[in-house]
Amino acid sequence: MPSPAEIDAVLSDSAVRMGNSAKNAEIAFFGGSFTAVDRDYMVALLETANKHLDKFAGIRISTRPDCIDSNILDILKRYGVTSIELGAQSMCESVLKANLRGHTAKDVENASDLIKEYSFSLGLQMMTGLYTADFDKDRYTAQCFIKMHPDTVRIYPTVIIDNTLLADLYKKGTYNTYSLEESVKLCSELMLLFEENKIKVIRVGLHYSESLEKNIVYNNYHPAFKELCENRIFRERIDGKLTEVSSNNITVFVSPKSKSKLIGQHRCNIDYLNSLGYNVKIKDDDSLEKYEIRIIDT
C-alpha cells in the first residue's frame, strides 16, 4: 500500500502537470474498500489528500456497503471527501450470497440513504453476469439502483480471471458468464435505462491492462466495451426509424458529439445499413440529444 508521503508526491506532481485542468479532477482512492482499511492509515491518507484540495475538485472514494456508518462519514466529511461509490454489484440476495459478497441488498440501501443524508455524491457500482445471475436479475439490480437515486453508476460486466473462485467454477463447468455479444446487448439497455432516469453512467467495462488480458479465462472482454454498447444503442435507434423513410437513399442526423458512435467501430453501423440496401449520409444536428437521431429520405 502506498504511504502518505508517496501519495503526497503523486498529488504534487499531478497538480503541476495538469495545471488549471486539475480543478475539474478529483483525487480518487479506488481499487479496494477505502473505509475498511486500518483507520489510522485511512486518516493519514485523507490528511494528505486534504492538503491538496485547493488544486482539485474534491475527493472520491470507493468502498463496501457494509463499511459505512455515521462515524466513518463524519471522518470523510471532515477531510473533504465529496463522492462515495459503493461496490453493490447486485441487489439480488441469492446472487450476493452465491458470490460470497459478505453484505446484503439492505446494506446497500442503508448505506446509500446515509451517504445522501450526509450530502455526499452517491455512486453505485454493479456487475452483470455474476455466478447465478441472469438478465432479469441484473435488470432488477438496475431498477433497485434507480429507486435509490444515485448521482452516478458504473456497470462492470463480469470477466472471469484465472486463479479465482469464478474461474474454478467455470473450469468445472458449473458457471459461465455472458458472451461479449450478450453483455453488449444487456449493458446497452441498462445504459439507456440509467440515462432516461437522469443517472450519469461514468464507466462501462473494465479498464484495460496487460495483466487483465493475460489472465482472462473466458473470452468476453473488450477494451472499448462502452463504445460497443453505444454503437448498439444507435443501431437499434436506426432500426426503429427505418419505417419512417421510403427511399434507399437516407440521411441520418445526429449530435456532432455522438457522430463517431453512430458510425460505429470500423464503420460497423454504416456497413449494417449498406447490407440492408441503404445508401447513407451522416449529418450533424446540434439540436439533438446524446442518443437521439433523425432520419429522412435523401
Side-chain angles (χ1 to χ4, degrees), residues 7-19:
I7 295 294
D8 185 61
V10 168
L11 292 176
S12 295
D13 179 64
S14 297
V16 171
R17 286 189 295 102
M18 296 175 72

Side-chain angles (χ1 to χ4, degrees), residues 4-38:
E6 290 171 323
I7 295 294
D8 185 61
V10 168
L11 292 176
S12 295
D13 179 64
S14 297
V16 171
R17 286 189 295 102
M18 296 175 72
N20 290 333
S21 64
K23 284 290 186 183
N24 298 317
E26 292 176 305
I27 299 168
F29 292 103
F30 269 59
S33 296
F34 186 71
T35 60
V37 302
D38 175 80

Side-chain angles (χ1 to χ4, degrees), residues 241-280:
K241 287 187 172 290
L242 287 176
T243 55
E244 299 175 9
V245 295
S246 55
S247 166
N248 284 342
N249 298 308
I250 61 174
T251 299
V252 182
F253 294 87
V254 66
S255 165
K257 295 179 181 178
S258 299
K259 190 173 183 177
S260 65
K261 292 156 189 171
L262 180 144
I263 292 170
Q265 276 198 354
H266 309 297
R267 295 176 57 84
C268 62
N269 284 343
I270 302 301
D271 290 344
Y272 169 71
L273 285 168
N274 291 160
S275 74
L276 296 179
Y278 291 98
N279 299 310
V280 191

